[in-house]
Amino acid sequence: MTVIDSSPAQSASVEICAEPGPVRPEPDGRGRYTIREVAAFTGLRAHTLRWYEQIGLLAQVERSHAGQRRFDDRDVEWLSCVTKLRLTGMPVADMVRFAELVRRGAETFVERQRMLEQTRREVLARIAELHDTLTVLDAEIDSYADARRASERA
C-alpha cells in the first residue's frame, strides 16, 4: 500500500502558478510577444493558442495595428498555468470555468480553491494508481530477471 500525504499544500500566495518561470527571450516589438514567440516559448502550437483564446481559456489578446496578436508577460504566465492544469488532467471545460472565475476576481477565491482541491484529490488518486502499477511492473521485472539468472546458471 502506498501512503501519500493528501493534506493541502500551504501557500502564502493567492495567485495560482505564481512562482517565477524561466526567463523569456526579449519580445519582438513594443513589449509584446508574437504568436510565434509564445508558441516557441510554451511549446503550444499557434493553432492551440488561437483556440484557447476562442473558447475563453485565454483572455482576449491585444492586437497590433495590423491585427496580429501581441501577448504580454501576463498572458505567457497564464499559459504556463493552463499547461500545468492540463497536465493534472483537468477537463478543458473546467479550465475555462476556472479562467472565468479568475477574471471575476477575489470574490471567486472560495470556488477556485474548491476546484483546485478537487483537482488535487484526483491527481493524488492517479499518483496512487501509478504507484500501484509501478509495484506490479517492478515485481514482473524482478521475476524476469530471476528467471533469466536461473536459466543462465542451468
Side-chain angles (χ1 to χ4, degrees), residues 139-149:
E140 285 295 312
I141 291 168
D142 289 345
S143 71
Y144 282 110
D146 292 345
R148 191 185 80 240
R149 282 191 293 273

Side-chain angles (χ1 to χ4, degrees), residues 18-79:
E19 74 274 357
V23 176
R24 283 183 283 287
E26 287 297 312
D28 153 3
R30 297 199 180 139
R32 300 286 184 250
Y33 301 94
T34 65
I35 197 166
R36 180 180 299 190
E37 289 171 321
V38 173
F41 184 74
T42 63
L44 297 169
R45 294 180 21 224
H47 175 78
T48 302
L49 295 169
R50 289 183 199 101
W51 181 64
Y52 280 0
E53 185 180 13
Q54 180 183 14
I55 66 172
L57 189 51
L58 181 61
Q60 195 70 29
V61 177
E62 288 185 32
R63 299 290 200 278
S64 70
H65 69 281
Q68 296 174 325
R69 287 172 177 81
R70 291 294 184 191
F71 297 83
D72 61 21
D73 284 333
R74 192 175 176 114
D75 295 323
V76 175
E77 288 165 11
W78 175 251
L79 287 166

